[in-house]
Amino acid sequence: MHPVDFIDPRDELEELYQAEYGNPVDILLRGLGVPLGALLLQLYTGWLAPVLWVLIFAGFHAVQWPFLTLRRKAASQLDAVVGGLLFIAVQISFLWLPTVLAANDDSSLMLIGMMVFVITAMYHVRRADRSRWLVLTQVAIFATSLAYISYACIERSDDPIVHAGVVMVTLFAIIFISVTMLGAHHRRLEIIQASANLAHEQKMSAIGKLAGGVAHDFNNSLTVIKGNLELFDEIHEASERREVMSEALRAAERAEGVIEQLLIYARKAPSKSSKIDANKALEDLEAFGQTMVPERIQLDVTKLPHPVMIEVDHRQLSAALLNLVKNSVDAIEANGTIVASLAVSNTTASRKKESESVPGDGRFVTFSVFDTGSGIPPEILGNVSDPFFTTKEPGKGTGLGLSMASGFATESGGKMEIESTKSGTLVSLILPLYL
C-alpha cells in the first residue's frame, strides 16, 4: 500500500469540508444556480422532478454540512468513511437529474444535461480525492450515468450501426473518465508523498545540525574541563589549584547551560511557573544586565508604574531576557543603546490564530529589547531563532539564545517577534497577562 494511503481522518474530513464549503463563491453559485435552474426547468417542462431535485440535494447537504463541521477536528476512521459516503450521496443527489436530461429526446434538455454532466465530471477530476475507494465509487457513478444515457439513445434508434457507435463511444468515455480520475488521484498521492519526503529530509537535516551543535559545544566544554583537571595533578600551589578547578567548574556550568537552553527549546525543561510582577523581571535584567553590557553601550530599562502580573517560570524568563540583551551587545560594534521596556496590549486576530493559549480577554504583556546595532540581514531573519544558527565568529556564541527565548515564549502561551532594519533590531517576547 502506498505510504500516503494512511491518511489522518481529520485531514480527510477537513479536505471534504474545504472542497464542499471552503469557497464562498462556489457556495454562492450553487446556492443560486441550483434553485434558479430548477425553477426554469420546472417552468419549461412542467415536471415535478426539478422540485424534488432541489429538495433532495439540499437535504443531503443539511446532513453533510453539520457532520463535517462538528467532526472534522476530532475525526475517527469511521467518521472519514461516513464523510466519504455522505459526499457520494450528495454527488448522486445532484447528478441524477442532469443524467435524466441528457437521456431526453428534447435537444435543448439533452444539451443542458450533458453540459452539467461534463462540468460535474471536471469538478471531480480536479478534486483528485486521496482515498482510492472514494475515487473508484465516483468512477462507478459516472459510468452508470453514461450507461443510462447510452441506453436511452439506443432505444430511440433501430439502426445497428448507431447502436454499435453509441456503445463504442460510451466505452471510450468510461475508460477516459476512469483513467483521468485515477491518474489525477495517483498524481495527487505523488505530490503528497514528495511533500512528506521533503519535510522528513528537512527534519533530519535539522536534527543533524542540532546534534552537530551540541557535540561542538560539549567538546569545547569537555576540553576545558579535561585540560584543567590534568593541570590540577601537575601543580601544587593551593591558589593555582583553586583557579584551575574554578575554570573547570565554569566550563561545566557552560555545558549545563547549553543543555538547559536545549531543553527549553524542545519544551522539555522542568517548568516552575508562578505568578510574578513583570516589572520584577526587568529589575533583575537591570541588575544582572550591567555586568554584560560594556561602558560604551547604554542600557535603559523602562518599567511600568503599576504591577503587571504574569504566570511564567521566573528563572527561564530572566534567562531569555539576558540572552536578548547579550545578542544586542554583540550586535553593537561601537557605541550604542539598548532599551528594554514593558507594555500591555490587546491581542490581534493574527496573534490569536498563531497562539493556542490565549487568555480570556486576549490581553498580553510584551517585553521588548531594542538595540541600535547593525540589524539582521533580511535573508537570514527567518532563521535566527533556529537552534545553533549564529552569524558570530567560530567559538563565540552557541546559537541557542534566540531559539531558547522563542521556545520559552511559546511554552508560556505566547510567542517571540523580531523586527530589524539597518538602524537596529527589536525583539519582543509576548506573554499572556495573568488576571
Side-chain angles (χ1 to χ4, degrees):
M1 182 175 289
H2 202 285
V4 291
D5 283 344
F6 298 100
I7 304 169
D8 189 327
R10 292 171 297 181
D11 293 341
E12 190 72 4
L13 284 194
E14 181 65 29
E15 185 173 295
L16 285 171
Y17 178 85
Q18 293 300 328
E20 288 289 283
Y21 309 110
N23 189 333
V25 176
D26 179 61
I27 295 175
L28 180 63
L29 290 175
R30 280 185 294 170
L32 295 177
V34 171
L36 181 59
L39 176 61
L40 294 175
L41 188 60
Q42 200 278 331
L43 293 176
Y44 177 73
T45 62
W47 298 346
L48 183 61
V51 178
L52 293 176
W53 180 56
V54 173
L55 293 177
I56 295 173
F57 184 63
F60 277 110
H61 271 293
V63 176
Q64 180 181 242
W65 180 78
F67 175 81
L68 294 180
T69 302
L70 294 174
R71 298 301 305 165
R72 62 194 175 109
K73 298 301 183 183
S76 64
Q77 193 60 51
L78 178 60
D79 291 327
V81 174
V82 173
L85 292 175
L86 284 174
F87 174 74
I88 292 298
V90 169
Q91 178 185 351
I92 295 174
S93 72
F94 178 81
L95 196 59
W96 71 268
L97 185 58
T99 301
V100 170
L101 295 179
N104 197 274
D105 54 3
D106 185 311
S107 59
S108 298
L109 296 179
M110 182 186 298
L111 177 62
I112 293 172
M114 288 305 300
M115 289 179 64
V116 176
F117 183 90
V118 170
I119 291 172
T120 305
M122 292 173 60
Y123 166 74
H124 286 275
V125 169
R126 179 173 58 85
R127 276 177 52 89
D129 290 285
R130 290 185 289 181
S131 297
R132 190 175 181 83
W133 73 269
L134 197 57
V135 176
L136 291 174
T137 305
Q138 293 172 44
V139 169
I141 292 172
F142 284 110
T144 303
S145 296
L146 283 172
Y148 176 80
I149 296 169
S150 300
Y151 176 77
C153 292
I154 291 174
E155 284 289 299
R156 290 196 293 268
S157 175
D158 296 327
D159 191 337
I161 296 179
V162 172
H163 294 177
V166 170
V167 171
M168 184 180 68
V169 170
T170 302
L171 288 176
F172 275 113
I174 292 174
I175 293 172
F176 178 78
I177 287 179
S178 302
V179 171
T180 303
M181 292 189 70
L182 289 172
H185 163 73
H186 181 69
R187 287 190 295 275
R188 174 73 180 280
L189 294 185
E190 286 182 337
I191 292 172
I192 294 173
Q193 186 63 47
S195 299
N197 290 340
L198 178 61
H200 179 71
E201 290 175 4
Q202 291 174 337
K203 184 185 297 184
M204 294 306 296
S205 175
I207 291 174
K209 184 178 179 182
L210 192 64
V214 170
H216 174 74
D217 282 336
F218 256 86
N219 186 59
N220 289 343
S221 297
L222 290 175
T223 299
V224 175
I225 294 172
K226 183 179 178 181
N228 280 280
L229 290 178
E230 290 174 351
L231 284 174
F232 184 82
D233 290 333
E234 296 180 5
I235 59 179
H236 303 287
E237 288 191 21
S239 60
E240 292 183 355
R241 282 194 163 199
R242 283 195 298 272
E243 185 177 344
V244 297
M245 289 303 295
S246 296
E247 183 63 29
L249 180 60
R250 284 194 292 270
E253 290 173 346
R254 284 196 296 271
E256 183 182 24
V258 171
I259 288 297
E260 183 177 356
Q261 293 185 26
L262 188 59
L263 288 174
I264 294 173
Y265 173 80
R267 305 184 191 182
K268 299 296 183 182
S271 179
K272 299 179 181 177
S273 296
S274 60
K275 293 181 283 293
I276 64 168
D277 183 359
N279 289 296
K280 180 65 170 61
L282 286 188
E283 290 175 2
D284 294 343
L285 178 66
E286 189 173 24
F288 296 114
Q290 298 293 348
T291 62
M292 69 173 65
V293 178
E295 294 183 357
R296 60 184 175 83
I297 298 175
Q298 179 181 348
L299 175 63
D300 293 333
V301 177
T302 304
K303 300 185 289 291
L304 291 176
H306 52 80
V308 180
M309 304 306 295
I310 54 177
E311 187 172 13
V312 296
D313 187 313
H314 188 183
R315 178 177 53 86
Q316 292 183 11
L317 173 59
S318 297
L321 292 175
L322 286 171
N323 270 311
L324 297 186
V325 171
K326 185 177 185 303
N327 280 347
S328 293
V329 170
D330 293 338
I332 301 175
E333 297 180 358
N335 297 332
T337 303
I338 298 174
V339 179
S341 60
L342 188 63
V344 177
S345 61
N346 292 328
T347 181
T348 62
S350 61
R351 191 171 298 158
K352 282 185 179 180
K353 181 179 179 181
E354 294 176 16
S355 176
E356 295 180 358
S357 302
V358 179
D361 71 342
R363 299 183 69 196
F364 281 76
V365 174
T366 301
F367 292 89
S368 299
V369 176
F370 173 77
D371 65 69
T372 57
S374 56
I376 303 171
E379 60 270 17
I380 66 170
L381 186 59
N383 303 110
V384 293
S385 60
D386 293 344
F388 296 107
F389 181 89
T390 179
T391 57
K392 298 172 185 176
E393 299 176 8
K396 293 185 178 180
T398 65
L400 280 172
L402 287 176
S403 65
M404 184 278 285
S406 177
F408 160 74
T410 304
E411 182 69 14
S412 302
K415 67 174 183 177
M416 183 179 75
E417 292 182 345
I418 303 176
E419 301 175 23
S420 186
T421 64
K422 292 182 179 180
S423 58
T425 300
L426 173 65
V427 183
S428 300
L429 294 182
I430 304 168
L431 305 174
L433 177 69
Y434 180 81
L435 300 178

